[in-house]
Amino acid sequence: MEIKIKRFEEFSLSELYEIMRIRAEVFIVEQNCPCQELDYRDQHSTHMYVEDNGKILSYLRVIDPGVKYPAASIGRVLTVKEARGKGLSRMLMKEAIRFAKELSPVIEIEAQAYLRDFYKSLGFVETSEEYILEERLHIDMKME
């Protein structure tokens, strides 16, 4: 099992296809959320994923400062269903936080509200009330 880190332009077509497939699987199909998954932020992000025997198990992206927020942002955090409960998202988030802190002293995220305790355990604090985004309750959080 290894963490891979790539910029958008470094992906092969097969790698990019697999990332888009698992993002759609988790965020659109599994969570039953008809949302615009492709948002033009991928081209301005560093993508991190855990791969085991050629299969992507967990994924996220670190969005460059100035694209979504003035600060760096982490988003699209997922672990495929069959790999959940193994700490992969936590491991990947710790690597993403380390990486994002090199880009900006602050990290901002839009978190699904049900995951607030997970993000708090990593050092994020709430900066907004709950709101609906893409048919899901979200909350803004920040790490300084």
Side-chain angles (χ1 to χ4, degrees):
M1 206 175 318
E2 67 176 306
I3 294 178
K4 294 198 172 187
I5 301 171
K6 293 188 176 191
R7 292 294 293 182
F8 182 82
E9 57 276 0
E10 296 175 312
F11 282 123
S12 71
L13 289 176
S14 296
E15 290 168 326
L16 183 59
Y17 183 91
E18 182 60 13
I19 285 170
M20 296 303 133
R21 188 193 69 75
I22 65 172
R23 283 177 24 182
E25 178 182 297
V26 172
F27 297 121
I28 298 172
V29 177
E30 185 180 315
Q31 294 184 1
N32 192 26
C33 180
C35 62
Q36 182 58 43
E37 172 52 24
L38 303 177
D39 59 7
Y40 291 104
R41 292 184 180 131
D42 290 308
Q43 297 92 324
H44 307 285
S45 299
T46 299
H47 304 262
M48 299 182 175
Y49 55 100
V50 175
E51 187 177 83
D52 189 33
N53 293 319
K55 182 167 174 52
I56 298 173
L57 302 177
S58 191
Y59 165 88
L60 59 74
R61 67 182 180 183
V62 178
I63 303 171
D64 297 340
V67 175
K68 183 171 184 170
Y69 298 106
S73 180
I74 300 171
R76 299 294 198 259
V77 181
L78 68 85
T79 297
V80 297
K81 191 179 284 187
E82 62 270 18
R84 292 185 188 146
K86 299 177 182 177
L88 298 179
S89 288
R90 180 172 299 281
M91 176 180 71
L92 205 50
M93 276 297 297
K94 286 181 179 179
E95 180 64 20
I97 289 166
R98 183 201 60 72
F99 182 85
K101 286 286 191 175
E102 293 177 9
L103 301 176
S104 71
V106 174
I107 304 169
E108 296 184 70
I109 63 173
E110 280 175 346
Q112 288 190 25
Y114 82 95
L115 292 169
R116 74 170 37 118
D117 290 340
F118 170 71
Y119 291 113
K120 282 181 177 182
S121 75
L122 291 164
F124 286 90
V125 296
E126 298 177 33
T127 59
S128 76
E129 298 295 319
E130 290 183 355
Y131 57 92
I132 299 289
L133 176 68
E134 297 173 337
E135 300 186 18
R136 296 276 179 264
L137 274 178
H138 280 72
I139 190 161
D140 292 334
M141 302 183 85
K142 181 184 282 191
M143 177 186 284
E144 295 188 51

